[in-house]
Structure formats: structure tokens, C-alpha cells
Amino acid sequence: MKKSPIKNLSASEAESLFAELGEKPYRASQLFNWLYEKNVDSFDAMTNFSKNLRSRLEELYLISPIALEERAISSDGTEKYLFRTVDGHFIESVLIKRDGSEEGRLTICISSQVGCPMGCRFCRTAKIGFRRNLSPAEILDQICQVRRLSGLKNDNIVFMGMGEPFMNYENVMKAAEIMNYSFGFHISVRRITISTCGLIKGIERYIDEKRPYNLAISLNDTVPEKRAEVMPVEKANPMTKIAELLERKFPISRNRVTLEYVMRADNISREDAGRLRKIFRRGRIKLNLIRLNRGDHGLTPPSESEVAAFVRELEIMNVPITVRKSFGDDIGAACGQLAGTRYGAANS
Ligand code: SAH
């Protein structure tokens, strides 16, 4: 019989499992403590479980559904991990050591899919195409492995690696919920960010279900036709509709929605700043600016002075902004550069 990944279990599923095995429900919290807080890689290490229970679990379950294939370290300290799934796919995760203004914070950027179906022109993951969704266990184990291999404990998680989280909605939400369990990683919901290219159905469902994590939406343009050229998702998910949806439904009590904006030479004019202000005038948003990273996209990054001028315009218009520094460019670990390394054709 094929073993199933134990990290796919929610708390209630783990309780049912222990009930079936004739054990008390509190074993579930002990299990999460071993798997995530203590981050062990064998059932044998779970010393408050009986020998018999440990060997039953060993027979039925697998702890790690992904294995390290390669690790690269950037001159800025960023670490990129390439993992191989049990069925031979490749995914990448990135450990970022300084998070702009939040000095000293450690962030793990995780993948939600093998490849990606969204086809954004500036992103290398898109070039792989879509292979499959990741399971909750494959999502969670990226954090376990990066923590174990780096010896560092991160405080932040961003779903900004390979894939579109809202195309793998259930698994992503289940994984996020498990990250937040108090007897597991216990990562605060405020420190988990889910980033989408802007799928309206997903955003609406997310709001309706009152998911408590930070929401980030990749905007990247202010002119719909121009956005559609680089982000095909715009055609069926117009940004004007996203703005309307946020205005109509996003609760005032929540953290602002982050709009991510990849700056190119041709999308940061004074007019762009004005349009941005206008489209999102009533939504509670903040803007996260990042310069276009290298890739074979044929697009031009902006100069320092163009960036400075755009930032000034936005400041005058009172749009809250942060300018994000790019990390890990020399090892292909920066935003839009994750291409699973082994998928040769995707690398330029
Ligand atoms: N699919 C999700 C998450 C993965 S992309 C999303 O679209 O949000 C994570 C972020 O990287 C997005 O904001 C995306 O716009 C940005 N990105 C992609 N390619 C980039 C590049 N070449 N340079 C800078 N940022 C890039």
C-alpha cells in the first residue's frame, strides 16, 4: 500500500485518525508539535508515542513528500531550495533574510503549484507551463525543510513562489490554516501573505470566507489593454472589476490589500500614478513596488531616476507605498525567476 503524506491532515482529521487507532484526541496536538514545532523527520523521534503507535504511523504515513535536490546561496544571503516531489516534479522555495523595512525578519517564499497556468510574460515560472497542483503536505513541507536545512526559523510566509495560489484554493487554504495552529508552527495570520494574479472568483471567495491572511494582488499596469498584453488573466478578470470588488466587499477592519506592481520602463509615468489613484480611490490599498527582474521577457526595467519620479508622484497623491528590494537575483531566486531549475527550457 502506498503511504499517504501525514502533513495533509488537518487537526480534526488527525483526531479521527487517532480515534481509529484507539488513541486519545490530544495525540493530534502532540503530532502537530512533532511535525511542525519540533520539525522531526521520523516517527521514531516522537518519543511520547508508544512504540506500537509509532510503527503503525510509520506503516501508514510519509513525513516528507519532497526531498532536497539542490541548494543555492546568493551573495545577499538569500537561499534558494530546489525540491523534488515523490512523482519527479520540481519546485522551488526561497529563504529571504531581510525583508526591506522589517530588518532581521526571515521570510520563506513558497510555491503552490508545479509550474503555473497563468502565462504572465515577465515570469519564468509561466514558461514551464502548468504541471499540477501541490498538496497541503507539499506546501507545508517546504517550510519544514527550509527551516531544518537552514537552521533558521522564519516569521513570515509568502505564497509568491511558483504557481497561482487561487488556482489551488483548497490546498492553499488548508496549508495556511495548519501553519497557524497554535501547537504547530503557530505563525500568525498577519504574517502569512497570499498573492494572486487577480482571479476575481478567488478573491471574492476569499473575502466571503473571511480568510484572515494578508491578501496581495499583482496589478503591474494601470491600462487594461497594456495589462492584458503582459498578464492574460486581465481579459477575464479586469482590474476595474477587482477595484470594484474590493470597494464593495473588503472589510474596513482588515489590513489593507497590497497591490504588487512590477515596475517597467513603460508603466510608471505620471499618468500611471494618476490612473492608479483613480481606479483604486475608494479601496483600502497599499502599493508594493518592485523593479522588473531579469528574464527572457524582452521587457525593459526602469532607471533609478524613473523609479524615483514615480515614487514621488505616488507620495504626492498620498498612495501608501513600499519599494521592495530584490533579493537573490544572482541565483535566479528573485520574483519571477523561479523556474524549477531542472526544467531546462524555461531557463535563459
Ligand atoms: N501567482 C501569484 C504569485 C506568484 S508571482 C501572483 O501572480 O501574485 C509573485 C510576484 O512576483 C507577483 O507580484 C509578480 O508580479 C512578481 N513577478 C513576476 N515576475 C517578475 C519579474 N520578472 N520581476 C519582478 N517581479 C516579478
Side-chain angles (χ1 to χ4, degrees):
M1 199 185 75
K2 224 180 115 217
K3 293 184 183 186
S4 50
I6 196 149
K7 287 174 185 164
N8 275 337
L9 300 183
S10 66
S12 59
E13 288 165 343
E15 284 178 8
S16 317
L17 163 72
F18 285 112
E20 275 167 40
L21 296 173
E23 297 280 340
K24 293 270 179 333
Y26 69 81
R27 294 286 180 207
S29 33
Q30 292 180 330
L31 176 73
F32 285 108
N33 193 256
W34 285 117
L35 290 178
Y36 302 110
E37 165 63 26
K38 297 208 177 67
N39 197 3
V40 299
D41 56 5
S42 79
F43 289 107
D44 231 22
M46 302 182 180
T47 46
N48 53 3
F49 289 176
S50 70
K51 269 233 157 64
N52 180 44
L53 177 58
R54 281 184 255 166
S55 66
R56 281 295 285 146
L57 291 173
E58 176 67 42
E59 273 164 41
L60 299 168
Y61 290 99
L62 179 77
I63 292 190
S64 266
I66 57 171
L68 182 72
E69 181 81 8
E70 199 180 306
R71 177 183 181 198
I73 301 186
S74 158
S75 55
D76 65 27
T78 303
E79 301 183 11
K80 182 168 87 163
Y81 294 83
L82 175 71
F83 296 110
R84 189 178 196 282
T85 64
V86 174
D87 57 344
H89 284 293
F90 295 101
I91 54 166
E92 289 178 325
S93 322
V94 181
L95 173 66
I96 305 151
K97 300 215 176 128
R98 221 152 36 87
D99 189 8
S101 60
E102 295 175 295
E103 184 120 357
R105 286 248 151 86
L106 295 173
T107 298
I108 300 183
C109 175
I110 54 176
S111 293
S112 58
Q113 299 184 311
V114 182
C116 183
M118 305 314 303
C120 298
R121 177 165 157 200
F122 41 79
C123 179
R124 277 186 190 159
T125 308
K127 308 224 158 41
I128 304 168
F130 174 64
R131 308 278 166 122
R132 72 165 171 82
N133 280 333
L134 293 179
S135 64
E138 289 167 326
I139 295 172
L140 289 159
D141 205 41
Q142 294 174 57
I143 304 169
C144 293
Q145 299 248 11
V146 170
R147 282 186 171 193
R148 196 177 311 128
L149 294 159
S150 68
L152 297 168
K153 246 190 187 170
N154 63 303
D155 334 79
N156 293 286
I157 300 289
V158 294
F159 280 88
M160 292 186 190
M162 297 164 75
E164 166 50 43
F166 281 178
M167 292 291 276
N168 186 15
Y169 190 91
E170 274 94 13
N171 290 352
V172 163
M173 294 307 153
K174 188 174 190 184
E177 227 170 283
I178 296 173
M179 286 171 202
N180 179 238
Y181 284 167
S182 55
F183 31 76
F185 288 138
H186 202 188
I187 297 173
S188 144
V189 295
R190 301 253 160 173
R191 300 212 174 280
I192 299 173
T193 299
I194 301 187
S195 177
T196 175
C197 62
L199 293 166
I200 290 176
K201 281 216 178 88
I203 299 172
E204 187 154 24
R205 180 172 174 192
Y206 184 86
I207 298 173
D208 288 343
E209 291 179 355
K210 301 190 168 54
R211 300 288 176 177
Y213 321 105
N214 295 318
L215 179 63
I217 301 171
S218 300
L219 187 67
N220 301 342
D221 255 298
T222 65
V223 182
E225 297 72 31
K226 270 178 75 187
R227 185 171 188 255
E229 268 171 39
V230 289
M231 297 183 73
V233 67
E234 165 71 18
K235 291 177 203 131
N237 300 266
M239 60 184 186
T240 47
K241 290 263 159 40
I242 297 176
E244 253 170 51
L245 173 63
L246 294 180
E247 216 173 275
R248 187 160 46 85
K249 277 203 160 167
F250 199 76
I252 313 246
S253 57
R254 296 275 309 257
N255 268 355
R256 287 168 186 269
V257 172
T258 301
L259 296 180
E260 296 166 273
Y261 201 90
V262 178
M263 296 181 287
R264 311 185 306 262
D266 69 329
N267 69 349
I268 56 169
S269 65
R270 171 180 288 195
E271 290 72 33
D272 281 305
R275 277 190 293 265
L276 213 141
R277 175 84 224 142
K278 195 156 159 253
I279 299 168
F280 290 94
R281 67 187 170 283
R282 277 190 289 269
R284 290 180 50 266
I285 54 122
K286 62 181 179 210
L287 202 61
N288 197 329
L289 301 170
I290 181 163
R291 278 180 58 132
L292 177 72
N293 288 316
R294 287 179 305 146
D296 54 355
H297 40 56
L299 300 165
T300 316
S303 67
E304 290 300 330
S305 64
E306 286 165 333
V307 170
F310 190 50
V311 167
R312 221 167 25 246
E313 280 303 323
L314 292 164
E315 280 171 351
I316 293 169
M317 294 181 194
N318 264 326
V319 180
I321 51 168
T322 46
V323 184
R324 208 161 76 192
K325 188 178 168 314
S326 182
F327 289 98
D329 175 71
D330 56 341
I331 53 165
C335 292
Q337 296 187 330
L338 300 184
T341 309
R342 295 288 185 275
Y343 297 112
N347 288 300
S348 59

